[in-house]
mmCIF file of all heavy atoms in Angstrom:
data_model
loop_
_atom_site.group_PDB
_atom_site.id
_atom_site.type_symbol
_atom_site.label_atom_id
_atom_site.label_comp_id
_atom_site.label_asym_id
_atom_site.label_seq_id
_atom_site.Cartn_x
_atom_site.Cartn_y
_atom_site.Cartn_z
ATOM 1 N N SER D 87 -16.610 -21.030 18.838
ATOM 2 C CA SER D 87 -17.637 -20.839 17.808
ATOM 3 C C SER D 87 -16.915 -20.225 16.600
ATOM 4 O O SER D 87 -15.810 -20.668 16.276
ATOM 5 C CB SER D 87 -18.754 -19.923 18.345
ATOM 6 O OG SER D 87 -19.893 -19.956 17.512
ATOM 7 N N HIS D 88 -17.484 -19.207 16.020
ATOM 8 C CA HIS D 88 -16.878 -18.611 14.816
ATOM 9 C C HIS D 88 -16.970 -17.095 14.898
ATOM 10 O O HIS D 88 -17.826 -16.558 15.612
ATOM 11 C CB HIS D 88 -17.626 -19.092 13.559
ATOM 12 C CG HIS D 88 -19.085 -18.695 13.554
ATOM 13 N ND1 HIS D 88 -19.555 -17.579 12.886
ATOM 14 C CD2 HIS D 88 -20.167 -19.246 14.160
ATOM 15 C CE1 HIS D 88 -20.869 -17.483 13.060
ATOM 16 N NE2 HIS D 88 -21.272 -18.475 13.841
ATOM 17 N N ILE D 89 -16.114 -16.407 14.145
ATOM 18 C CA ILE D 89 -16.216 -14.938 14.104
ATOM 19 C C ILE D 89 -16.453 -14.428 12.693
ATOM 20 O O ILE D 89 -16.492 -13.220 12.479
ATOM 21 C CB ILE D 89 -14.984 -14.233 14.733
ATOM 22 C CG1 ILE D 89 -13.698 -14.546 13.962
ATOM 23 C CG2 ILE D 89 -14.845 -14.622 16.204
ATOM 24 C CD1 ILE D 89 -12.542 -13.616 14.340
ATOM 25 N N ASP D 90 -16.602 -15.325 11.709
ATOM 26 C CA ASP D 90 -17.030 -14.842 10.396
ATOM 27 C C ASP D 90 -18.536 -14.565 10.468
ATOM 28 O O ASP D 90 -19.229 -15.082 11.355
ATOM 29 C CB ASP D 90 -16.708 -15.850 9.279
ATOM 30 C CG ASP D 90 -17.509 -17.142 9.361
ATOM 31 O OD1 ASP D 90 -17.612 -17.710 10.469
ATOM 32 O OD2 ASP D 90 -18.050 -17.587 8.333
ATOM 33 N N PHE D 98 -23.633 -10.817 17.303
ATOM 34 C CA PHE D 98 -23.587 -11.873 18.317
ATOM 35 C C PHE D 98 -23.368 -13.271 17.745
ATOM 36 O O PHE D 98 -22.734 -14.109 18.381
ATOM 37 C CB PHE D 98 -24.887 -11.852 19.131
ATOM 38 C CG PHE D 98 -25.132 -10.513 19.793
ATOM 39 C CD1 PHE D 98 -25.998 -9.589 19.218
ATOM 40 C CD2 PHE D 98 -24.472 -10.176 20.960
ATOM 41 C CE1 PHE D 98 -26.204 -8.351 19.816
ATOM 42 C CE2 PHE D 98 -24.675 -8.941 21.561
ATOM 43 C CZ PHE D 98 -25.541 -8.014 20.988
ATOM 44 N N ASP D 99 -23.951 -13.529 16.595
ATOM 45 C CA ASP D 99 -23.870 -14.852 15.947
ATOM 46 C C ASP D 99 -22.408 -15.302 15.896
ATOM 47 O O ASP D 99 -21.589 -14.683 15.205
ATOM 48 C CB ASP D 99 -24.477 -14.729 14.542
ATOM 49 C CG ASP D 99 -24.449 -16.028 13.740
ATOM 50 O OD1 ASP D 99 -23.866 -17.028 14.196
ATOM 51 O OD2 ASP D 99 -25.030 -16.015 12.629
ATOM 52 N N GLY D 100 -22.067 -16.341 16.628
ATOM 53 C CA GLY D 100 -20.701 -16.857 16.634
ATOM 54 C C GLY D 100 -19.789 -16.115 17.595
ATOM 55 O O GLY D 100 -19.181 -16.702 18.490
ATOM 56 N N ASN D 101 -19.751 -14.798 17.428
ATOM 57 C CA ASN D 101 -18.841 -13.969 18.229
ATOM 58 C C ASN D 101 -19.054 -14.169 19.726
ATOM 59 O O ASN D 101 -18.098 -14.213 20.508
ATOM 60 C CB ASN D 101 -19.041 -12.496 17.862
ATOM 61 C CG ASN D 101 -18.740 -12.242 16.403
ATOM 62 O OD1 ASN D 101 -17.590 -12.147 16.019
ATOM 63 N ND2 ASN D 101 -19.773 -12.184 15.576
ATOM 64 N N GLU D 133 -17.603 -20.656 9.248
ATOM 65 C CA GLU D 133 -18.777 -21.355 9.755
ATOM 66 C C GLU D 133 -19.993 -21.015 8.921
ATOM 67 O O GLU D 133 -20.865 -21.842 8.683
ATOM 68 C CB GLU D 133 -19.030 -20.996 11.223
ATOM 69 C CG GLU D 133 -20.116 -21.828 11.896
ATOM 70 C CD GLU D 133 -21.529 -21.316 11.687
ATOM 71 O OE1 GLU D 133 -21.704 -20.171 11.195
ATOM 72 O OE2 GLU D 133 -22.469 -22.043 12.012
ATOM 73 N N GLU D 134 -20.067 -19.751 8.478
ATOM 74 C CA GLU D 134 -21.318 -19.292 7.861
ATOM 75 C C GLU D 134 -21.592 -19.934 6.503
ATOM 76 O O GLU D 134 -22.736 -20.171 6.147
ATOM 77 C CB GLU D 134 -21.314 -17.771 7.722
ATOM 78 C CG GLU D 134 -21.406 -17.020 9.052
ATOM 79 C CD GLU D 134 -22.757 -17.175 9.720
ATOM 80 O OE1 GLU D 134 -23.629 -17.893 9.196
ATOM 81 O OE2 GLU D 134 -22.944 -16.569 10.789
ATOM 82 N N MET D 142 -19.748 -24.450 8.130
ATOM 83 C CA MET D 142 -19.024 -25.203 9.187
ATOM 84 C C MET D 142 -17.757 -25.838 8.629
ATOM 85 O O MET D 142 -17.323 -26.917 9.064
ATOM 86 C CB MET D 142 -19.917 -26.283 9.820
ATOM 87 C CG MET D 142 -20.951 -25.776 10.791
ATOM 88 S SD MET D 142 -22.428 -25.083 10.019
ATOM 89 C CE MET D 142 -23.244 -26.543 9.424
ATOM 90 N N GLU D 193 -20.704 -25.076 23.339
ATOM 91 C CA GLU D 193 -20.725 -23.807 22.603
ATOM 92 C C GLU D 193 -21.909 -22.959 23.042
ATOM 93 O O GLU D 193 -23.054 -23.425 23.040
ATOM 94 C CB GLU D 193 -20.812 -24.107 21.092
ATOM 95 C CG GLU D 193 -20.881 -22.867 20.210
ATOM 96 C CD GLU D 193 -20.779 -23.193 18.710
ATOM 97 O OE1 GLU D 193 -20.397 -24.345 18.356
ATOM 98 O OE2 GLU D 193 -21.082 -22.300 17.896
ATOM 99 N N LEU D 194 -21.630 -21.733 23.410
ATOM 100 C CA LEU D 194 -22.692 -20.752 23.702
ATOM 101 C C LEU D 194 -23.001 -19.991 22.419
ATOM 102 O O LEU D 194 -22.086 -19.550 21.721
ATOM 103 C CB LEU D 194 -22.205 -19.780 24.790
ATOM 104 C CG LEU D 194 -23.098 -18.560 25.070
ATOM 105 C CD1 LEU D 194 -24.467 -18.968 25.608
ATOM 106 C CD2 LEU D 194 -22.398 -17.607 26.064
ATOM 107 N N HIS D 195 -24.299 -19.825 22.127
ATOM 108 C CA HIS D 195 -24.689 -19.150 20.887
ATOM 109 C C HIS D 195 -26.033 -18.468 21.099
ATOM 110 O O HIS D 195 -26.809 -18.894 21.952
ATOM 111 C CB HIS D 195 -24.816 -20.194 19.751
ATOM 112 C CG HIS D 195 -24.620 -19.635 18.372
ATOM 113 N ND1 HIS D 195 -25.585 -18.892 17.737
ATOM 114 C CD2 HIS D 195 -23.569 -19.712 17.514
ATOM 115 C CE1 HIS D 195 -25.133 -18.541 16.536
ATOM 116 N NE2 HIS D 195 -23.903 -19.015 16.375
ATOM 117 N N VAL D 196 -26.303 -17.436 20.341
ATOM 118 C CA VAL D 196 -27.657 -16.864 20.371
ATOM 119 C C VAL D 196 -28.600 -17.823 19.638
ATOM 120 O O VAL D 196 -28.194 -18.500 18.684
ATOM 121 C CB VAL D 196 -27.701 -15.448 19.759
ATOM 122 C CG1 VAL D 196 -26.978 -14.461 20.675
ATOM 123 C CG2 VAL D 196 -27.108 -15.395 18.358
ATOM 124 N N GLN D 198 -31.122 -17.352 17.633
ATOM 125 C CA GLN D 198 -31.391 -16.982 16.234
ATOM 126 C C GLN D 198 -32.797 -17.361 15.802
ATOM 127 O O GLN D 198 -33.084 -17.385 14.606
ATOM 128 C CB GLN D 198 -30.377 -17.622 15.266
ATOM 129 C CG GLN D 198 -28.923 -17.402 15.657
ATOM 130 C CD GLN D 198 -27.941 -17.981 14.668
ATOM 131 O OE1 GLN D 198 -27.532 -19.137 14.792
ATOM 132 N NE2 GLN D 198 -27.550 -17.209 13.673
ATOM 133 N N ALA D 361 -30.399 -23.472 13.169
ATOM 134 C CA ALA D 361 -29.189 -23.044 12.460
ATOM 135 C C ALA D 361 -28.114 -24.107 12.573
ATOM 136 O O ALA D 361 -28.121 -24.920 13.491
ATOM 137 C CB ALA D 361 -28.689 -21.726 13.044
ATOM 138 N N GLY D 362 -27.192 -24.070 11.642
ATOM 139 C CA GLY D 362 -26.027 -24.946 11.714
ATOM 140 C C GLY D 362 -25.004 -24.362 12.682
ATOM 141 O O GLY D 362 -24.936 -23.152 12.867
ATOM 142 N N HIS D 363 -24.199 -25.237 13.297
ATOM 143 C CA HIS D 363 -23.208 -24.774 14.274
ATOM 144 C C HIS D 363 -21.975 -25.661 14.253
ATOM 145 O O HIS D 363 -22.054 -26.860 13.957
ATOM 146 C CB HIS D 363 -23.800 -24.797 15.684
ATOM 147 C CG HIS D 363 -24.928 -23.831 15.871
ATOM 148 N ND1 HIS D 363 -24.738 -22.473 15.872
ATOM 149 C CD2 HIS D 363 -26.259 -24.028 16.048
ATOM 150 C CE1 HIS D 363 -25.899 -21.875 16.053
ATOM 151 N NE2 HIS D 363 -26.842 -22.786 16.152
ATOM 152 N N ASP D 364 -20.842 -25.079 14.651
ATOM 153 C CA ASP D 364 -19.615 -25.867 14.756
ATOM 154 C C ASP D 364 -19.788 -27.044 15.713
ATOM 155 O O ASP D 364 -19.177 -28.100 15.524
ATOM 156 C CB ASP D 364 -18.460 -24.963 15.209
ATOM 157 C CG ASP D 364 -18.150 -23.897 14.164
ATOM 158 O OD1 ASP D 364 -17.938 -24.270 12.992
ATOM 159 O OD2 ASP D 364 -18.146 -22.698 14.497
ATOM 160 N N MET D 376 -24.759 -27.460 23.398
ATOM 161 C CA MET D 376 -24.825 -26.013 23.174
ATOM 162 C C MET D 376 -25.743 -25.357 24.193
ATOM 163 O O MET D 376 -26.709 -25.961 24.664
ATOM 164 C CB MET D 376 -25.365 -25.709 21.773
ATOM 165 C CG MET D 376 -24.431 -26.126 20.657
ATOM 166 S SD MET D 376 -25.010 -25.515 19.053
ATOM 167 C CE MET D 376 -24.593 -23.765 19.184
ATOM 168 N N SER D 386 -32.133 -12.931 13.224
ATOM 169 C CA SER D 386 -30.704 -13.196 13.065
ATOM 170 C C SER D 386 -30.362 -13.198 11.574
ATOM 171 O O SER D 386 -31.251 -13.185 10.743
ATOM 172 C CB SER D 386 -30.340 -14.541 13.692
ATOM 173 O OG SER D 386 -28.944 -14.724 13.680
ATOM 174 N N HIS D 387 -29.062 -13.239 11.276
ATOM 175 C CA HIS D 387 -28.607 -13.012 9.889
ATOM 176 C C HIS D 387 -29.250 -11.720 9.394
ATOM 177 O O HIS D 387 -29.748 -11.622 8.269
ATOM 178 C CB HIS D 387 -28.923 -14.210 8.982
ATOM 179 C CG HIS D 387 -28.004 -15.369 9.236
ATOM 180 N ND1 HIS D 387 -27.989 -16.510 8.475
ATOM 181 C CD2 HIS D 387 -27.021 -15.541 10.158
ATOM 182 C CE1 HIS D 387 -27.058 -17.341 8.924
ATOM 183 N NE2 HIS D 387 -26.469 -16.781 9.948
ATOM 184 N N GLU D 391 -30.064 -8.161 14.696
ATOM 185 C CA GLU D 391 -29.898 -9.241 15.680
ATOM 186 C C GLU D 391 -29.530 -8.642 17.045
ATOM 187 O O GLU D 391 -28.610 -7.835 17.150
ATOM 188 C CB GLU D 391 -28.767 -10.145 15.181
ATOM 189 C CG GLU D 391 -28.402 -11.269 16.120
ATOM 190 C CD GLU D 391 -27.155 -11.999 15.603
ATOM 191 O OE1 GLU D 391 -27.317 -12.942 14.829
ATOM 192 O OE2 GLU D 391 -26.028 -11.574 15.932
HETATM 193 MN MN1 MN K 2 -23.371 -18.971 14.174
#
Side-chain angles (χ1 to χ4, degrees):
S87 193
H88 61 97
I89 63 166
D90 67 314
F98 302 99
D99 179 354
N101 299 281
E133 188 275 348
E134 291 291 2
M142 284 80 73
E193 178 172 346
L194 171 64
H195 205 284
V196 290
Q198 309 183 270
H363 295 291
D364 295 307
M376 292 189 74
S386 187
H387 285 187
E391 176 187 271

